[in-house]
Amino acid sequence: MLRQVWLVPALPLAGFVVCLFAGTRLGRYAGWLASALVVASFGIGLGVFSDLVSLPDASRHVVRHLYEWIAVGGFRVAVDLRVDPLSMTMALVVTGVGAIIHVYSIGYMDGDPRYGRFFAYMNLFVFFMLTLVLAENFLLLYVGWEGVGLCSYLLIGFWHERPAAASAAKKAFVVTRIGDTFMLVGIALIFLRLGSLDFTAVLRIPCGPGQHCPPAITTDTGVSTVIALLLFAGAIGKSAQVPLHVWLPDAMEGPTPVSALIHAATMVTAGVYLVARTHVLFEVSGVALTVVLVVGLVTALYAATVALAQDDFKRVLAWSTISQLGFMFTALGLRAYWAAIFLLVTHAFYKALLFLSAGSVMHALDGETDLKKMGGLRRTMPITAVVCSIGALALAGIPPFAGFFSKDDVLAVANQSGHALAWLIALVAAFFSALYMARLVFLAFFGEERTERYAHEAPPVMTVPLGLLAVGAAFGGFLGANETRGLLQTFLAPVLGKVREPTQGLSGPALALISVGVAALAIAVGWLVYGSGRIDWVALRVRLSSLHRFLARGWYVDDAYAAVLVSPAKAGSAFLAYVVDARLVDGLVNASGQLVRWLASVGRRVQTGFVRNYALAILLGALVLLVYVGLRI
C-alpha cells in the first residue's frame, strides 16, 4: 500500500469536487459521501501504516514521487509524499478523528440550506491537512498550511449572514497570516542557504535507527536560529500561542463540528507538527528551543486561567485548547518531541469529544451555549453527560484516561530534566485545567435545571461518534503507557529520537502521584464551589467581579490590541481615505475631468455652425501660415 499513499489525500479532494458541484442534488447523501471518502482515506492510511511497520526501523522512510511541480533554473520542487512514522501518525489522527466528526456532522448540520457546501469545505480541509503532514518538502507543506488557513476562514464564517461569524472568520485569517508571512520568509531563507527545500536534504533525516545526521545548516547556528524562529512564528499563529492566540476563541462562531475538527484535533496542531518535524534545526540553534519552552509555558498557564471565567461552553473549550497546545510546545521546548506528539494524539480524542458534546448540548437547547442557563442535563441527556465527563477526566489527567498518561509525561520530563520552574508552572496550569473542566461539567450536567427549554438526547448519528471518541479518550493513553512499553514512542523513535532516560528529579511513581493529587484537588474544589450547592457561586463571582472581569476578557489582551493596533489602524485608514484618496487622488482625477470639460466648453463656442465663420477661420489660418513662411525666408 505504500505506493497508493497518494489516495489518502486524493479521496477527500474528490469528495470536495463532487459535493461542491453536486451537493445540492445529492441532498443528505452529500454528508454520507463525504464521510465515506474520509473513512476510506483512513482505511488506506491503515494499510500504508501496516506496510510501514513491517519495514525495519532504519528503513521506515519512503518518499513517493508523484510529479515535478516547479523547475525554473536551479529552483526545483516536486510533489513528493513522505511516509514515515511521524507523517503516518498525523495522517491517521486527521483521517480517523476527521471521519468520526464527519459522521457526527450528518446529524448536526441536517436541515442547513448549504448542507452540501459544508461537507465540501470539510473534505477540502482534510485534503489540505493531509497535504501538510505528508509533504516531503517545505513548499508543499506550505501549500497545505495555507490551504487549511483558507478552509478555516470558509468554515468559521460558514454562517456568514451572522456578523459575528463573518468578523471571526476575517480575524482568524488576518491574525494567522502574520505568522504565515514570517514562516514563508524562513522557507525562502532555507532555499537561499541550502539550495533545496526537501526535508531529506535540509534536515538529513533519518540517518539510522534512533539517530539523526546533523542538519545541513549546522555550520551556521546564527542562521539556524533565525530560520527556526521564523518557522516557529508560523507555528505560533496557526497553533494560537501567545501573542497570536486571539483568533481562536472568536472562531467558536463557526459550526461546532468545525470547532472539533479544525480547532481541536487537526489544524491547530499543525504548529506542533512543524516544530517536531524540523526539531533538528531548533536543536542546532538552542536559543529557539528556549523560546519554544517559554512561549509554551506562558500560554499553558495564561489560557488556563482565562478558561476559568468563561460562561460560554465552547469558549471554555477554546481557551482549553490554547492551554493544551501550550503543554505540547512545552514538551517540544524540553526536547521531548515524542511526548508532544503523544499529547497531540490523545488531545485529538478527548478535545474532539468535548466539542462534539458541546454540539450535542447546543442541538438539544436550540443553540444555547451559556453555562449559567444550563444545569441538571444529566437527567435528560445521560449519554452526552457520560461521554463529556470522560473527556473532562481525560483532560484533567485522571487515570486511567488518556490525558493522565500524555500530560503526565510532559510534567515528568520537565521535572526529570532539571527544569524545576517549568515543572511548577506546568503543574499550576494542570491544576487550573482540571478546575475549569470540573466547573464546566458541574454547571452543565449537575445541580438544578436553569433552563426552560426542553432538552433531549441527540440522535444515534451523533451519539455513536461520541461513543467512539469516548473510547479513544478512555483508552488512547495506553498507546504510550509504560505498561505497553511505549508503543507510540517506539514507533516515532526513528524520526524523533529515542526516549531519554531520566537523570535527575523525582521518580516516575512520585510524579504521577503528585499530578493525580493536583488534578483530584482541583476537581474537589470545583465540586465544592459549583456542584455541592454549599457555596453560592454567583455571589462569589459578584464579590470577585474585578478578577472575574479581568480573566473573562483574557487579561485585556484583545482590548490592548484594539487600543494599540486596531484603533490606530482604523484612524490611519480613515485619514488616508479622506485626505489621500478622497482629496488627493480623487481631487486629481476630478480636476482632470474639470479641465476636459472646460476645454470642451471652449471648443463648443468655436463650433458655431455658420459657414462664414469657418471660412474666416480658414482665411486667418492661411494668413498666419503665409506670414510664418515669409518670416522664415
mmCIF file of all heavy atoms in Angstrom, residues 434-479:
data_model
loop_
_atom_site.group_PDB
_atom_site.id
_atom_site.type_symbol
_atom_site.label_atom_id
_atom_site.label_comp_id
_atom_site.label_asym_id
_atom_site.label_seq_id
_atom_site.Cartn_x
_atom_site.Cartn_y
_atom_site.Cartn_z
ATOM 1 N N ALA A 434 -7.813 21.106 35.321
ATOM 2 C CA ALA A 434 -8.790 20.233 35.976
ATOM 3 C C ALA A 434 -9.923 21.049 36.591
ATOM 4 O O ALA A 434 -11.088 20.628 36.572
ATOM 5 C CB ALA A 434 -8.097 19.385 37.040
ATOM 6 N N LEU A 435 -9.603 22.236 37.101
ATOM 7 C CA LEU A 435 -10.612 23.062 37.750
ATOM 8 C C LEU A 435 -11.635 23.588 36.749
ATOM 9 O O LEU A 435 -12.847 23.537 37.001
ATOM 10 C CB LEU A 435 -9.940 24.223 38.481
ATOM 11 C CG LEU A 435 -10.865 25.187 39.241
ATOM 12 C CD1 LEU A 435 -11.718 24.432 40.261
ATOM 13 C CD2 LEU A 435 -10.048 26.280 39.923
ATOM 14 N N TYR A 436 -11.179 24.103 35.599
ATOM 15 C CA TYR A 436 -12.158 24.642 34.656
ATOM 16 C C TYR A 436 -12.984 23.531 34.007
ATOM 17 O O TYR A 436 -14.140 23.755 33.645
ATOM 18 C CB TYR A 436 -11.533 25.572 33.609
ATOM 19 C CG TYR A 436 -10.533 24.982 32.637
ATOM 20 C CD1 TYR A 436 -10.881 24.008 31.712
ATOM 21 C CD2 TYR A 436 -9.220 25.464 32.607
ATOM 22 C CE1 TYR A 436 -9.975 23.513 30.795
ATOM 23 C CE2 TYR A 436 -8.296 24.975 31.707
ATOM 24 C CZ TYR A 436 -8.677 23.989 30.805
ATOM 25 O OH TYR A 436 -7.769 23.493 29.907
ATOM 26 N N MET A 437 -12.426 22.331 33.887
ATOM 27 C CA MET A 437 -13.241 21.231 33.363
ATOM 28 C C MET A 437 -14.268 20.779 34.391
ATOM 29 O O MET A 437 -15.415 20.455 34.048
ATOM 30 C CB MET A 437 -12.347 20.067 32.956
ATOM 31 C CG MET A 437 -11.531 20.307 31.704
ATOM 32 S SD MET A 437 -12.458 20.999 30.313
ATOM 33 C CE MET A 437 -13.776 19.822 30.126
ATOM 34 N N ALA A 438 -13.882 20.762 35.669
ATOM 35 C CA ALA A 438 -14.850 20.424 36.717
ATOM 36 C C ALA A 438 -15.969 21.462 36.746
ATOM 37 O O ALA A 438 -17.159 21.111 36.858
ATOM 38 C CB ALA A 438 -14.145 20.356 38.071
ATOM 39 N N ARG A 439 -15.609 22.731 36.624
ATOM 40 C CA ARG A 439 -16.617 23.796 36.602
ATOM 41 C C ARG A 439 -17.587 23.602 35.445
ATOM 42 O O ARG A 439 -18.818 23.714 35.619
ATOM 43 C CB ARG A 439 -15.911 25.150 36.481
ATOM 44 C CG ARG A 439 -16.829 26.331 36.280
ATOM 45 C CD ARG A 439 -16.027 27.625 36.191
ATOM 46 N NE ARG A 439 -16.868 28.780 35.949
ATOM 47 C CZ ARG A 439 -17.167 29.243 34.734
ATOM 48 N NH1 ARG A 439 -16.662 28.642 33.657
ATOM 49 N NH2 ARG A 439 -17.941 30.309 34.594
ATOM 50 N N LEU A 440 -17.070 23.294 34.270
ATOM 51 C CA LEU A 440 -17.925 23.116 33.097
ATOM 52 C C LEU A 440 -18.899 21.956 33.291
ATOM 53 O O LEU A 440 -20.101 22.080 33.039
ATOM 54 C CB LEU A 440 -17.048 22.890 31.855
ATOM 55 C CG LEU A 440 -17.754 22.708 30.513
ATOM 56 C CD1 LEU A 440 -16.927 23.326 29.397
ATOM 57 C CD2 LEU A 440 -18.011 21.240 30.197
ATOM 58 N N VAL A 441 -18.398 20.817 33.735
ATOM 59 C CA VAL A 441 -19.247 19.626 33.879
ATOM 60 C C VAL A 441 -20.295 19.840 34.963
ATOM 61 O O VAL A 441 -21.479 19.517 34.774
ATOM 62 C CB VAL A 441 -18.381 18.383 34.184
ATOM 63 C CG1 VAL A 441 -19.264 17.186 34.557
ATOM 64 C CG2 VAL A 441 -17.512 18.040 32.983
ATOM 65 N N PHE A 442 -19.906 20.392 36.107
ATOM 66 C CA PHE A 442 -20.863 20.581 37.194
ATOM 67 C C PHE A 442 -21.933 21.604 36.824
ATOM 68 O O PHE A 442 -23.110 21.426 37.152
ATOM 69 C CB PHE A 442 -20.135 20.998 38.473
ATOM 70 C CG PHE A 442 -19.327 19.892 39.084
ATOM 71 C CD1 PHE A 442 -18.016 20.105 39.485
ATOM 72 C CD2 PHE A 442 -19.871 18.625 39.261
ATOM 73 C CE1 PHE A 442 -17.261 19.083 40.047
ATOM 74 C CE2 PHE A 442 -19.123 17.599 39.824
ATOM 75 C CZ PHE A 442 -17.813 17.826 40.217
ATOM 76 N N LEU A 443 -21.554 22.689 36.146
ATOM 77 C CA LEU A 443 -22.539 23.696 35.776
ATOM 78 C C LEU A 443 -23.495 23.191 34.701
ATOM 79 O O LEU A 443 -24.691 23.519 34.717
ATOM 80 C CB LEU A 443 -21.846 24.968 35.283
ATOM 81 C CG LEU A 443 -21.172 25.845 36.332
ATOM 82 C CD1 LEU A 443 -20.540 27.073 35.675
ATOM 83 C CD2 LEU A 443 -22.157 26.292 37.401
ATOM 84 N N ALA A 444 -22.992 22.396 33.764
ATOM 85 C CA ALA A 444 -23.829 21.958 32.648
ATOM 86 C C ALA A 444 -24.693 20.750 32.990
ATOM 87 O O ALA A 444 -25.871 20.707 32.625
ATOM 88 C CB ALA A 444 -22.958 21.644 31.435
ATOM 89 N N PHE A 445 -24.158 19.784 33.708
ATOM 90 C CA PHE A 445 -24.838 18.492 33.830
ATOM 91 C C PHE A 445 -25.331 18.176 35.242
ATOM 92 O O PHE A 445 -26.096 17.229 35.418
ATOM 93 C CB PHE A 445 -23.904 17.377 33.353
ATOM 94 C CG PHE A 445 -23.529 17.496 31.909
ATOM 95 C CD1 PHE A 445 -22.271 17.978 31.528
ATOM 96 C CD2 PHE A 445 -24.428 17.162 30.918
ATOM 97 C CE1 PHE A 445 -21.925 18.099 30.202
ATOM 98 C CE2 PHE A 445 -24.087 17.276 29.578
ATOM 99 C CZ PHE A 445 -22.842 17.747 29.213
ATOM 100 N N PHE A 446 -24.908 18.916 36.229
ATOM 101 C CA PHE A 446 -25.297 18.607 37.607
ATOM 102 C C PHE A 446 -26.068 19.782 38.203
ATOM 103 O O PHE A 446 -26.229 20.828 37.578
ATOM 104 C CB PHE A 446 -24.065 18.274 38.446
ATOM 105 C CG PHE A 446 -23.414 16.980 38.042
ATOM 106 C CD1 PHE A 446 -22.506 16.933 36.989
ATOM 107 C CD2 PHE A 446 -23.714 15.795 38.699
ATOM 108 C CE1 PHE A 446 -21.904 15.741 36.604
ATOM 109 C CE2 PHE A 446 -23.126 14.594 38.324
ATOM 110 C CZ PHE A 446 -22.223 14.568 37.280
ATOM 111 N N GLY A 447 -26.527 19.598 39.410
ATOM 112 C CA GLY A 447 -27.272 20.648 40.089
ATOM 113 C C GLY A 447 -28.687 20.779 39.561
ATOM 114 O O GLY A 447 -29.235 19.886 38.910
ATOM 115 N N GLU A 448 -29.291 21.913 39.840
ATOM 116 C CA GLU A 448 -30.667 22.168 39.429
ATOM 117 C C GLU A 448 -30.717 22.679 37.987
ATOM 118 O O GLU A 448 -29.783 23.324 37.504
ATOM 119 C CB GLU A 448 -31.312 23.199 40.363
ATOM 120 C CG GLU A 448 -31.391 22.756 41.817
ATOM 121 C CD GLU A 448 -32.243 21.508 41.992
ATOM 122 O OE1 GLU A 448 -33.263 21.386 41.259
ATOM 123 O OE2 GLU A 448 -31.895 20.660 42.841
ATOM 124 N N GLU A 449 -31.825 22.386 37.320
ATOM 125 C CA GLU A 449 -32.018 22.864 35.960
ATOM 126 C C GLU A 449 -32.219 24.377 35.972
ATOM 127 O O GLU A 449 -32.978 24.906 36.772
ATOM 128 C CB GLU A 449 -33.222 22.176 35.325
ATOM 129 C CG GLU A 449 -33.027 20.686 35.121
ATOM 130 C CD GLU A 449 -34.195 20.048 34.384
ATOM 131 O OE1 GLU A 449 -35.042 20.814 33.875
ATOM 132 O OE2 GLU A 449 -34.257 18.811 34.331
ATOM 133 N N ARG A 450 -31.523 25.066 35.061
ATOM 134 C CA ARG A 450 -31.635 26.519 34.976
ATOM 135 C C ARG A 450 -32.082 26.951 33.581
ATOM 136 O O ARG A 450 -31.775 28.045 33.124
ATOM 137 C CB ARG A 450 -30.290 27.170 35.328
ATOM 138 C CG ARG A 450 -29.825 26.924 36.739
ATOM 139 C CD ARG A 450 -28.531 27.660 37.054
ATOM 140 N NE ARG A 450 -27.417 27.204 36.243
ATOM 141 C CZ ARG A 450 -26.658 26.138 36.540
ATOM 142 N NH1 ARG A 450 -26.920 25.437 37.635
ATOM 143 N NH2 ARG A 450 -25.671 25.776 35.761
ATOM 144 N N THR A 451 -32.786 26.075 32.881
ATOM 145 C CA THR A 451 -33.272 26.386 31.542
ATOM 146 C C THR A 451 -34.727 25.996 31.418
ATOM 147 O O THR A 451 -35.187 25.031 32.042
ATOM 148 C CB THR A 451 -32.441 25.662 30.461
ATOM 149 O OG1 THR A 451 -32.974 25.987 29.173
ATOM 150 C CG2 THR A 451 -32.484 24.161 30.650
ATOM 151 N N GLU A 452 -35.463 26.759 30.629
ATOM 152 C CA GLU A 452 -36.855 26.443 30.371
ATOM 153 C C GLU A 452 -37.017 25.645 29.084
ATOM 154 O O GLU A 452 -38.124 25.218 28.753
ATOM 155 C CB GLU A 452 -37.669 27.741 30.277
ATOM 156 C CG GLU A 452 -37.680 28.540 31.582
ATOM 157 C CD GLU A 452 -38.466 29.822 31.445
ATOM 158 O OE1 GLU A 452 -38.931 30.119 30.310
ATOM 159 O OE2 GLU A 452 -38.610 30.540 32.455
ATOM 160 N N ARG A 453 -35.933 25.462 28.371
ATOM 161 C CA ARG A 453 -36.003 24.692 27.124
ATOM 162 C C ARG A 453 -36.089 23.203 27.431
ATOM 163 O O ARG A 453 -35.521 22.716 28.393
ATOM 164 C CB ARG A 453 -34.777 24.976 26.252
ATOM 165 C CG ARG A 453 -34.691 26.410 25.740
ATOM 166 C CD ARG A 453 -33.454 26.565 24.876
ATOM 167 N NE ARG A 453 -33.367 27.863 24.227
ATOM 168 C CZ ARG A 453 -32.791 28.923 24.760
ATOM 169 N NH1 ARG A 453 -32.249 28.827 25.976
ATOM 170 N NH2 ARG A 453 -32.747 30.061 24.117
ATOM 171 N N TYR A 454 -36.763 22.473 26.540
ATOM 172 C CA TYR A 454 -36.868 21.034 26.696
ATOM 173 C C TYR A 454 -35.621 20.385 26.104
ATOM 174 O O TYR A 454 -35.360 20.474 24.893
ATOM 175 C CB TYR A 454 -38.116 20.504 26.002
ATOM 176 C CG TYR A 454 -38.154 19.001 25.916
ATOM 177 C CD1 TYR A 454 -38.351 18.219 27.055
ATOM 178 C CD2 TYR A 454 -37.962 18.356 24.694
ATOM 179 C CE1 TYR A 454 -38.358 16.836 26.976
ATOM 180 C CE2 TYR A 454 -37.978 16.980 24.607
ATOM 181 C CZ TYR A 454 -38.177 16.217 25.752
ATOM 182 O OH TYR A 454 -38.184 14.854 25.668
ATOM 183 N N ALA A 455 -34.815 19.765 26.943
ATOM 184 C CA ALA A 455 -33.592 19.113 26.486
ATOM 185 C C ALA A 455 -33.885 17.666 26.119
ATOM 186 O O ALA A 455 -34.728 17.001 26.726
ATOM 187 C CB ALA A 455 -32.533 19.172 27.574
ATOM 188 N N HIS A 456 -33.164 17.183 25.112
ATOM 189 C CA HIS A 456 -33.349 15.802 24.657
ATOM 190 C C HIS A 456 -32.024 15.281 24.144
ATOM 191 O O HIS A 456 -31.153 16.053 23.729
ATOM 192 C CB HIS A 456 -34.409 15.741 23.555
ATOM 193 C CG HIS A 456 -34.106 16.653 22.384
ATOM 194 N ND1 HIS A 456 -33.307 16.277 21.328
ATOM 195 C CD2 HIS A 456 -34.473 17.942 22.137
ATOM 196 C CE1 HIS A 456 -33.209 17.265 20.464
ATOM 197 N NE2 HIS A 456 -33.908 18.304 20.936
ATOM 198 N N GLU A 457 -31.877 13.972 24.164
ATOM 199 C CA GLU A 457 -30.635 13.357 23.708
ATOM 200 C C GLU A 457 -30.538 13.436 22.188
ATOM 201 O O GLU A 457 -31.557 13.457 21.479
ATOM 202 C CB GLU A 457 -30.566 11.895 24.165
ATOM 203 C CG GLU A 457 -29.207 11.254 23.999
ATOM 204 C CD GLU A 457 -28.102 11.996 24.773
ATOM 205 O OE1 GLU A 457 -27.911 11.712 25.960
ATOM 206 O OE2 GLU A 457 -27.448 12.869 24.152
ATOM 207 N N ALA A 458 -29.313 13.511 21.682
ATOM 208 C CA ALA A 458 -29.082 13.607 20.242
ATOM 209 C C ALA A 458 -29.409 12.280 19.559
ATOM 210 O O ALA A 458 -29.431 11.216 20.204
ATOM 211 C CB ALA A 458 -27.627 13.990 19.986
ATOM 212 N N PRO A 459 -29.653 12.298 18.242
ATOM 213 C CA PRO A 459 -29.935 11.054 17.510
ATOM 214 C C PRO A 459 -28.698 10.172 17.429
ATOM 215 O O PRO A 459 -27.562 10.633 17.662
ATOM 216 C CB PRO A 459 -30.365 11.549 16.131
ATOM 217 C CG PRO A 459 -29.751 12.903 16.002
ATOM 218 C CD PRO A 459 -29.759 13.485 17.383
ATOM 219 N N PRO A 460 -28.873 8.875 17.078
ATOM 220 C CA PRO A 460 -27.734 7.940 17.032
ATOM 221 C C PRO A 460 -26.595 8.381 16.119
ATOM 222 O O PRO A 460 -25.434 8.093 16.404
ATOM 223 C CB PRO A 460 -28.378 6.646 16.526
ATOM 224 C CG PRO A 460 -29.798 6.743 16.954
ATOM 225 C CD PRO A 460 -30.160 8.191 16.850
ATOM 226 N N VAL A 461 -26.907 9.081 15.016
ATOM 227 C CA VAL A 461 -25.839 9.503 14.109
ATOM 228 C C VAL A 461 -24.883 10.476 14.789
ATOM 229 O O VAL A 461 -23.746 10.675 14.329
ATOM 230 C CB VAL A 461 -26.452 10.137 12.833
ATOM 231 C CG1 VAL A 461 -27.021 11.521 13.135
ATOM 232 C CG2 VAL A 461 -25.436 10.204 11.713
ATOM 233 N N MET A 462 -25.314 11.056 15.916
ATOM 234 C CA MET A 462 -24.445 11.942 16.686
ATOM 235 C C MET A 462 -23.894 11.258 17.929
ATOM 236 O O MET A 462 -22.748 11.501 18.320
ATOM 237 C CB MET A 462 -25.205 13.210 17.083
ATOM 238 C CG MET A 462 -25.606 14.085 15.898
ATOM 239 S SD MET A 462 -26.747 15.437 16.333
ATOM 240 C CE MET A 462 -25.703 16.416 17.404
ATOM 241 N N THR A 463 -24.690 10.402 18.572
ATOM 242 C CA THR A 463 -24.220 9.767 19.808
ATOM 243 C C THR A 463 -23.218 8.644 19.550
ATOM 244 O O THR A 463 -22.325 8.424 20.374
ATOM 245 C CB THR A 463 -25.410 9.214 20.610
ATOM 246 O OG1 THR A 463 -26.187 8.344 19.781
ATOM 247 C CG2 THR A 463 -26.292 10.335 21.124
ATOM 248 N N VAL A 464 -23.339 7.932 18.425
ATOM 249 C CA VAL A 464 -22.371 6.868 18.124
ATOM 250 C C VAL A 464 -20.958 7.442 17.948
ATOM 251 O O VAL A 464 -19.994 6.913 18.521
ATOM 252 C CB VAL A 464 -22.807 6.060 16.886
ATOM 253 C CG1 VAL A 464 -21.692 5.110 16.436
ATOM 254 C CG2 VAL A 464 -24.075 5.264 17.187
ATOM 255 N N PRO A 465 -20.765 8.526 17.157
ATOM 256 C CA PRO A 465 -19.422 9.139 17.113
ATOM 257 C C PRO A 465 -18.930 9.581 18.481
ATOM 258 O O PRO A 465 -17.732 9.462 18.780
ATOM 259 C CB PRO A 465 -19.630 10.339 16.179
ATOM 260 C CG PRO A 465 -20.755 9.944 15.300
ATOM 261 C CD PRO A 465 -21.673 9.154 16.176
ATOM 262 N N LEU A 466 -19.835 10.080 19.330
ATOM 263 C CA LEU A 466 -19.423 10.452 20.684
ATOM 264 C C LEU A 466 -18.887 9.236 21.428
ATOM 265 O O LEU A 466 -17.877 9.323 22.143
ATOM 266 C CB LEU A 466 -20.610 11.047 21.444
ATOM 267 C CG LEU A 466 -21.068 12.450 21.038
ATOM 268 C CD1 LEU A 466 -22.337 12.833 21.790
ATOM 269 C CD2 LEU A 466 -19.981 13.473 21.299
ATOM 270 N N GLY A 467 -19.548 8.095 21.267
ATOM 271 C CA GLY A 467 -19.093 6.875 21.934
ATOM 272 C C GLY A 467 -17.722 6.437 21.444
ATOM 273 O O GLY A 467 -16.871 6.008 22.242
ATOM 274 N N LEU A 468 -17.489 6.538 20.131
ATOM 275 C CA LEU A 468 -16.182 6.139 19.583
ATOM 276 C C LEU A 468 -15.069 7.029 20.121
ATOM 277 O O LEU A 468 -13.984 6.549 20.490
ATOM 278 C CB LEU A 468 -16.223 6.205 18.056
ATOM 279 C CG LEU A 468 -17.142 5.204 17.352
ATOM 280 C CD1 LEU A 468 -17.178 5.469 15.848
ATOM 281 C CD2 LEU A 468 -16.670 3.766 17.619
ATOM 282 N N LEU A 469 -15.327 8.325 20.158
ATOM 283 C CA LEU A 469 -14.317 9.235 20.698
ATOM 284 C C LEU A 469 -14.108 9.016 22.196
ATOM 285 O O LEU A 469 -12.995 9.171 22.705
ATOM 286 C CB LEU A 469 -14.724 10.686 20.438
ATOM 287 C CG LEU A 469 -14.620 11.159 18.985
ATOM 288 C CD1 LEU A 469 -15.249 12.535 18.816
ATOM 289 C CD2 LEU A 469 -13.168 11.182 18.521
ATOM 290 N N ALA A 470 -15.170 8.647 22.899
ATOM 291 C CA ALA A 470 -15.047 8.366 24.334
ATOM 292 C C ALA A 470 -14.139 7.160 24.570
ATOM 293 O O ALA A 470 -13.362 7.142 25.536
ATOM 294 C CB ALA A 470 -16.426 8.116 24.941
ATOM 295 N N VAL A 471 -14.216 6.168 23.687
ATOM 296 C CA VAL A 471 -13.320 5.007 23.801
ATOM 297 C C VAL A 471 -11.870 5.462 23.628
ATOM 298 O O VAL A 471 -10.970 5.051 24.379
ATOM 299 C CB VAL A 471 -13.685 3.942 22.753
ATOM 300 C CG1 VAL A 471 -12.635 2.833 22.727
ATOM 301 C CG2 VAL A 471 -15.062 3.348 23.049
ATOM 302 N N GLY A 472 -11.622 6.332 22.631
ATOM 303 C CA GLY A 472 -10.271 6.857 22.436
ATOM 304 C C GLY A 472 -9.792 7.678 23.615
ATOM 305 O O GLY A 472 -8.634 7.581 24.029
ATOM 306 N N ALA A 473 -10.702 8.509 24.178
ATOM 307 C CA ALA A 473 -10.326 9.329 25.329
ATOM 308 C C ALA A 473 -10.069 8.482 26.563
ATOM 309 O O ALA A 473 -9.249 8.838 27.417
ATOM 310 C CB ALA A 473 -11.432 10.353 25.618
ATOM 311 N N ALA A 474 -10.758 7.344 26.664
ATOM 312 C CA ALA A 474 -10.598 6.480 27.838
ATOM 313 C C ALA A 474 -9.363 5.599 27.743
ATOM 314 O O ALA A 474 -8.656 5.390 28.738
ATOM 315 C CB ALA A 474 -11.848 5.624 28.025
ATOM 316 N N PHE A 475 -9.086 5.087 26.558
ATOM 317 C CA PHE A 475 -8.028 4.080 26.433
ATOM 318 C C PHE A 475 -6.868 4.484 25.520
ATOM 319 O O PHE A 475 -5.902 3.746 25.392
ATOM 320 C CB PHE A 475 -8.622 2.758 25.909
ATOM 321 C CG PHE A 475 -9.737 2.233 26.761
ATOM 322 C CD1 PHE A 475 -11.052 2.263 26.308
ATOM 323 C CD2 PHE A 475 -9.488 1.724 28.028
ATOM 324 C CE1 PHE A 475 -12.093 1.778 27.092
ATOM 325 C CE2 PHE A 475 -10.509 1.245 28.825
ATOM 326 C CZ PHE A 475 -11.819 1.279 28.360
ATOM 327 N N GLY A 476 -6.964 5.670 24.887
ATOM 328 C CA GLY A 476 -5.895 6.086 23.971
ATOM 329 C C GLY A 476 -4.556 6.278 24.649
ATOM 330 O O GLY A 476 -3.506 6.171 24.015
ATOM 331 N N GLY A 477 -4.564 6.536 25.955
ATOM 332 C CA GLY A 477 -3.315 6.734 26.670
ATOM 333 C C GLY A 477 -2.439 5.507 26.726
ATOM 334 O O GLY A 477 -1.212 5.612 26.913
ATOM 335 N N PHE A 478 -3.039 4.337 26.545
ATOM 336 C CA PHE A 478 -2.248 3.110 26.609
ATOM 337 C C PHE A 478 -1.330 2.944 25.392
ATOM 338 O O PHE A 478 -0.463 2.070 25.392
ATOM 339 C CB PHE A 478 -3.172 1.896 26.743
ATOM 340 C CG PHE A 478 -3.851 1.819 28.091
ATOM 341 C CD1 PHE A 478 -5.171 2.214 28.249
ATOM 342 C CD2 PHE A 478 -3.156 1.381 29.204
ATOM 343 C CE1 PHE A 478 -5.789 2.158 29.489
ATOM 344 C CE2 PHE A 478 -3.763 1.328 30.455
ATOM 345 C CZ PHE A 478 -5.087 1.718 30.594
ATOM 346 N N LEU A 479 -1.534 3.790 24.361
ATOM 347 C CA LEU A 479 -0.614 3.767 23.223
ATOM 348 C C LEU A 479 0.804 4.145 23.639
ATOM 349 O O LEU A 479 1.773 3.699 23.021
ATOM 350 C CB LEU A 479 -1.094 4.736 22.141
ATOM 351 C CG LEU A 479 -2.367 4.370 21.382
ATOM 352 C CD1 LEU A 479 -2.806 5.526 20.504
ATOM 353 C CD2 LEU A 479 -2.132 3.122 20.544
#
